[in-house]
Amino acid sequence: MRKSFTVAVGAALAIAVAGCGSETDGNGSAADAAADPSVDIPGIEIVDYPAGDHVGASERVAYEYSPPFGGPHDAAWATCTGIVYPVPIRSENAVHSLEHGAVWITYDPERLSEEQVDLLAARVDGVSYMLMSPYPDPAQPISLQSWGHRLFVEDADDPRIDQFIEALRLNPNTYPEPGATCATLPTNFDPANPPPFQPIP
């Protein structure tokens, strides 16, 4: 049996934020912005992750970031066909969905009103290559993830949410597996009974 993977992003991966650092300042080059318009979104985090590193269904990944937005992941991806999950889901499955071009919205139900949650869900429900779930104790009330990209916001009205989705959902320049599906077989991942969230070890 393979050992669980530990992601040492700080040592193995380069954080790209308008060149270096932890957040973009909106000054990405014209070439960068053409391929990845998200480089101009204030506050975005961008990390260069290698693709295709799978772990087994019983294995855990010690992600450096919470919520994670790249790195080793389960061989089965979370169904990302516009599903609004009512419960937290296993990060290792959700990260694989990002590899397929999806955007994963997570939120803290303790810090958002029902109206705010509904505003987020309206952006996801029935929209292909989108998924949403609660996420326990995040740094900010709302976090958006795509492969190698993350953005924290405090309010569901923040215009950067739509900018993030527009720039990164199915952007073939920003994720490893263009053309990969977001649908899954229930034998691989059942959206009606998803693998439960587990804290990062």
Side-chain angles (χ1 to χ4, degrees), residues 84-95:
V84 177
Y85 292 93
V87 295
I89 62 174
R90 185 168 175 261
S91 295
E92 287 85 353
N93 300 103
V95 169

Side-chain angles (χ1 to χ4, degrees), residues 91-150:
S91 295
E92 287 85 353
N93 300 103
V95 169
H96 194 158
S97 302
L98 307 183
E99 191 179 45
H100 287 198
V103 169
W104 176 30
I105 298 178
T106 58
Y107 66 95
D108 184 351
E110 300 297 321
R111 289 189 278 175
L112 286 188
S113 67
E114 184 176 339
E115 180 182 10
Q116 288 270 298
V117 174
D118 287 346
L119 285 172
L120 294 175
R123 294 175 167 100
V124 174
D125 190 21
V127 179
S128 61
Y129 293 88
M130 295 287 296
L131 69 161
M132 172 175 155
S133 67
Y135 191 93
D137 198 29
Q140 294 291 336
I142 301 166
S143 182
L144 293 94
Q145 290 72 224
S146 71
W147 184 263
H149 298 71
R150 183 176 66 172

Side-chain angles (χ1 to χ4, degrees), residues 1 6 14 25 31 40 49 71 78 102 118 120 123 141 146 173 188 190 192:
M1 179 174 172
T6 300
D25 59 8
D40 288 330
Y49 285 105
D118 287 346
L120 294 175
R123 294 175 167 100
S146 71
N173 299 304
N188 295 331
D190 184 356

Side-chain angles (χ1 to χ4, degrees), residues 41-44 123 144 151-155 157-166:
I41 299 175
I44 197 163
R123 294 175 167 100
L144 293 94
L151 178 68
F152 283 125
V153 299
E154 296 185 358
D155 191 285
D157 291 311
D158 193 312
R160 293 176 297 164
I161 295 175
D162 293 326
Q163 293 169 11
F164 185 101
I165 296 168
E166 175 81 17

Side-chain angles (χ1 to χ4, degrees), residues 66-83:
S66 180
F69 52 105
H73 48 270
D74 196 285
W77 55 93
T79 305
C80 44
T81 53
I83 304 289

